[in-house]
Amino acid sequence: MCKETAEALLAAYGGSLARIGSEEAARLRMIGGLGLRRARMLLAAAELGRRITAARAAETDVVSSSDDVVRLFRPQLETLSHEECWAVYYLFERIIERQRVSQGGVQGTVVDHRLIIKRALELLATQLILIHNHPSGAAEASPQDKVLTERIAQAAALFDIRLLDHIIIAREG
């Protein structure tokens, strides 16, 4: 692929490699004469990059900040067309389990706070973090997100488990 084609692709997608990597091959081929074969190769390279990033993140078992959690989950959640909610359970500052707790539709997902706390108790977790994505691209917490966070924080506190954060991953931030 020549420099001009790469520049045309970046310009068409606002400079976002993530948006290019999540596009359909049929749409990519129309940009700058890329062609279907090269579009498929580009998407394969983007997928390989996502998998490498996810594999590196999966090897991490110590998290010191919310940014670390975002790095762990962004590769798998950022490009989904549906909502997913995950819980990360900790024993002190070491991750003991990552679990998808719900999968929903485009505008929402149902999360049962009782199941999250039940699993934390089974693992003897001392802390947990919630992570979910917004396929719409906006990272702002909805009223339902705020209610869920409060319910889980209150339920966890009954067992001396701390809810450290509730992170929303979106294309916008």
Side-chain angles (χ1 to χ4, degrees), residues 50 54 72-80 84 86 98:
R50 256 193 299 278
L72 283 172
F73 283 90
R74 183 173 291 286
Q76 75 188 65
L77 295 179
E78 180 179 48
T79 59
L80 293 178
E84 285 190 4
W86 287 72
R98 299 172 205 162

Side-chain angles (χ1 to χ4, degrees), residues 5 20 43 52 54 83 96 98-99 107-108 119 134 165:
T5 304
I20 292 170
L43 292 177
I52 289 169
E83 276 199 26
I96 52 177
R98 299 172 205 162
Q99 180 185 42
Q107 293 184 320
R119 186 63 183 150
H134 280 178
D165 207 344

Side-chain angles (χ1 to χ4, degrees), residues 9-121:
L9 271 170
L10 284 170
Y13 288 92
S16 171
L17 293 174
R19 286 184 55 212
I20 292 170
S22 63
E23 187 60 86
E24 296 177 22
R27 292 187 61 138
L28 283 177
R29 72 183 182 89
M30 295 186 279
I31 309 281
L34 190 61
L36 188 57
R37 187 178 200 182
R38 284 189 178 158
R40 286 180 178 157
M41 286 177 55
L42 180 63
L43 292 177
E47 181 61 25
L48 181 63
R50 256 193 299 278
R51 290 182 186 200
I52 289 169
T53 302
R56 283 187 185 143
E59 294 169 0
T60 303
D61 64 352
V62 176
V63 172
S64 59
S65 72
S66 294
D67 290 339
D68 292 340
V69 176
V70 170
R71 272 192 294 282
L72 283 172
F73 283 90
R74 183 173 291 286
Q76 75 188 65
L77 295 179
E78 180 179 48
T79 59
L80 293 178
S81 59
H82 62 277
E83 276 199 26
E84 285 190 4
C85 184
W86 287 72
V88 180
Y89 299 97
Y90 296 85
L91 185 55
F92 304 105
E93 293 179 12
R94 197 169 223 34
I95 294 174
I96 52 177
E97 185 173 284
R98 299 172 205 162
Q99 180 185 42
R100 183 174 63 186
V101 294
S102 75
Q103 179 177 333
V106 175
Q107 293 184 320
T109 187
V110 176
V111 179
D112 190 336
H113 63 282
R114 292 169 294 220
L115 295 176
I116 293 170
I117 301 306
K118 176 182 179 266
R119 186 63 183 150
L121 292 170

